[in-house]
Coordinates of all heavy atoms in Angstrom, one line a residue:
P1128 N 145.2 90.4 89.0 CA 145.2 89.1 89.7 C 144.5 89.1 91.0 O 143.7 88.3 91.4 CB 146.7 88.7 89.8 CG 147.3 89.4 88.6 CD 146.6 90.7 88.5
L1129 N 144.8 90.2 91.9 CA 144.3 90.2 93.2 C 142.7 90.6 93.1 O 142.0 90.0 93.9 CB 144.9 91.4 94.0 CG 146.4 91.0 94.4 CD1 147.0 92.2 95.2 CD2 146.4 89.7 95.3
A1130 N 142.3 91.4 92.2 CA 140.9 91.7 92.1 C 140.2 90.5 91.6 O 139.0 90.2 92.0 CB 140.7 92.9 91.1
L1131 N 140.8 89.7 90.7 CA 140.2 88.5 90.2 C 140.0 87.4 91.3 O 139.0 86.7 91.4 CB 141.0 87.9 89.0 CG 140.4 86.6 88.3 CD1 139.1 86.9 87.8 CD2 141.4 86.1 87.3
Q1132 N 141.1 87.4 92.1 CA 141.1 86.4 93.2 C 140.0 86.8 94.2 O 139.2 85.9 94.7 CB 142.4 86.4 94.0 CG 142.5 85.4 95.1 CD 143.9 85.5 95.8 OE1 144.8 86.3 95.4 NE2 144.1 84.7 96.8
Q1133 N 139.8 88.1 94.5 CA 138.7 88.5 95.4 C 137.4 88.2 94.8 O 136.5 87.8 95.5 CB 138.9 90.0 95.7 CG 137.9 90.5 96.7 CD 138.0 90.0 98.1 OE1 139.0 90.3 98.8 NE2 137.1 89.1 98.5
L1134 N 137.2 88.5 93.5 CA 135.9 88.3 92.9 C 135.5 86.8 92.9 O 134.4 86.4 93.2 CB 136.0 88.8 91.4 CG 134.7 88.7 90.5 CD1 133.6 89.4 91.1 CD2 135.0 89.1 89.1
A1135 N 136.5 86.0 92.6 CA 136.2 84.5 92.7 C 135.8 84.1 94.0 O 134.9 83.2 94.2 CB 137.5 83.8 92.1
A1136 N 136.5 84.6 95.0 CA 136.2 84.2 96.5 C 134.7 84.7 96.8 O 134.0 83.9 97.5 CB 137.2 84.9 97.4
Y1137 N 134.3 85.8 96.4 CA 133.0 86.3 96.6 C 131.9 85.4 95.9 O 130.9 85.0 96.5 CB 132.8 87.7 96.1 CG 133.3 88.8 97.0 CD1 133.4 90.1 96.5 CD2 133.7 88.5 98.3 CE1 133.8 91.1 97.4 CE2 134.2 89.6 99.1 CZ 134.2 90.9 98.7 OH 134.7 91.9 99.4
I1138 N 132.2 85.0 94.7 CA 131.3 84.2 93.9 C 131.1 82.8 94.6 O 130.0 82.3 94.7 CB 131.8 84.0 92.5 CG1 131.7 85.3 91.7 CG2 131.0 82.9 91.8 CD1 132.4 85.3 90.3
K1139 N 132.2 82.3 95.1 CA 132.1 81.0 95.8 C 131.2 81.0 97.1 O 130.9 79.9 97.5 CB 133.6 80.5 96.0 CG 134.3 80.1 94.8 CD 135.7 79.8 95.1 CE 136.6 79.4 93.9 NZ 137.9 79.2 94.2
K1140 N 131.1 82.2 97.6 CA 130.3 82.3 98.9 C 128.8 82.4 98.5 O 127.9 82.3 99.5 CB 130.7 83.5 99.7 CG 132.1 83.4 100.2 CD 132.5 84.6 101.0 CE 133.9 84.5 101.6 NZ 134.4 85.6 102.4
I1141 N 128.4 82.6 97.3 CA 127.0 82.7 96.9 C 126.4 81.3 96.6 O 126.9 80.7 95.6 CB 126.8 83.7 95.7 CG1 127.4 85.1 96.1 CG2 125.3 83.8 95.5 CD1 126.8 85.8 97.3

Side-chain angles (χ1 to χ4, degrees):
L1129 290 179
L1131 182 60
Q1132 182 180 359
Q1133 182 66 71
L1134 179 59
Y1137 281 170
I1138 290 171
K1139 291 174 182 176
K1140 291 180 181 179
I1141 305 298

